[in-house]
Amino acid sequence: GKGNYRHFMEKELHEHPAVLGDTLRQYLDPRTLEVNLPRLPFDPARVPRITMTACGSAFLAAQVGRYWIEQLARIPVDADVASELRYRDPPLAEGGAAILVSQSGETADTMAAMKLLREKQQSILSVVNVPESSMARESDATVLTVAGPEIGVASTKAFTAQLAVLACLAIGLGRARRELTTLDEGVLTKALLEVPHKAAEVLEQDAQIKALAAEVASARDVLFLGRGALFPIAMEGALKLKEISYIHAEGYAAGEMKHGPIALIDNQVPVIALCPSGPLYEKTLSNLQEASARGGRIMAFTDAAGAPGLARFAERVIVLPEVGVFAQPILYAIPVQLLAYHVAVLKGTDVDQPRNLAKSVTVE
Ligand code: M6R
C-alpha cells in the first residue's frame, strides 16, 4: 500500500535513499571502494562500440550512462530510443555490445530493438528492475536494479537505480580498459557511496521544492536546462512535468539555447536550471545569464559553491548538498521529479495514473 503517503509516486520518491543504497551495495564494496559487476557477455577490453537503447525515462538514464561510459572507459557509445533504433538499420560490427535499460523489462519497442541487435550479432546486457521479465530472460546477461516494485506510472526510484547501476558499469568498464587507476576508482565509488544519504537530505528540502512548484504550476511552458550528464536530467525533469502535470516542458542542453529556444523566453516562462559547481558551471551560468537578460525567470538547483554566482540574477536558488561531479546526475534527478510531483498535486491531476499513459508499454 501507500502507507502514510498520498500517492504511490510520493512514497516511491521517498524510497530513493534506500533504493540507491540497496542498488549500490550490490555492485560496489564500501570497504575496498571497488566495483564488482556480474559477468559481462562481452570483453570490455576489446569491445569496439556499445549501442544503448531504451524508451522514456529509461532512455534518459541510458543517455547519462553514455556520457559516463565514454568519459571513464573511452568506449564509443551510441544511444537511441528503441522505437528509432529498431527501424534505423544501423551498421553494427560483429562483436559489438548493446545495453538495454528498462524498469519493467517488457517494453515492446525495447524488446524489438533487442531482437534486431541480436540479429546483428551484438551481445546483450540489460539493466532491468524485474528479474523474471522477458528482457531479463532473453538477454545474455542482466544487471538488476534493486528498486522494488514501482507502481506510479511516472518512474522515480527505478530511474535513479538505473543511474546507480550504469555508474558502476562505467567504472567497471573503465577499470577493465585500464583507463582508471585504483585511485580514480576510489574517488568515483566514494562519490557514489555518498549519494544515498545526500538523497535523504534532498528530500528534507521538500518545503522549498513545494514553494517552487507553486510558481511553476501556473506556467504554460517550462524550460529545463543542463549541460553534460545533467542535460539528460533536464530532459527527465521536463518529461516528468509533462507526464503528470500536463504542462508543456522541454529539456535542453544549456548551450543550445541561443540556437532557437531563447526566442521563447519571456517573464512567463520559468527556466529550471541544473547548475552545480564543476567543470561546466561557468558555461551554464553564462547561458542562464543570457536567458535572464531577456526577462527569463531563472530557478536554479545548485550547491553551496555554485549559489553565489546564481544569486546575482536568479529568482530562486535551491541549494542542494555537495556531491562529487560524477554523482551529480543521480542526486539532481530527485528534486526535478519532486518538483513535477508537487506541481501535479497542485493542479489536481491523477498523479499515479496520468491520462493516456500506461505503466508498461507492451504494444508498439
Ligand atoms: O519499463 P520501461 O523502463 O521500459 O519503461 C520505459 C518508459 O515507458 C518509461 O520510462 C516512461 O517514460 C515513464 N512513464 C516515465 O516516467
Side-chain angles (χ1 to χ4, degrees), residues 54-60 101-108 110 127 135 150 152-156 158-159 162 236 239-240 243-244 337 354 357-361:
C55 300
S57 279
F59 173 65
L60 300 175
V101 185
S102 177
Q103 187 283 127
S104 62
E106 303 294 347
T107 301
T110 315
V127 177
M135 216 174 291
E150 192 181 65
V153 164
S155 183
T156 51
F159 176 77
Q162 286 160 354
E236 163 69 0
L239 176 61
K240 259 344 59 125
E243 188 176 20
I244 59 171
Q337 293 177 345
L357 287 169
K359 178 65 182 161
S360 178
V361 184

Side-chain angles (χ1 to χ4, degrees), residues 228-251:
L230 287 167
F231 165 39
I233 303 301
M235 291 192 278
E236 163 69 0
L239 176 61
K240 259 344 59 125
L241 194 67
K242 279 185 277 218
E243 188 176 20
I244 59 171
S245 80
Y246 316 145
I247 294 176
H248 169 240
E250 289 194 64

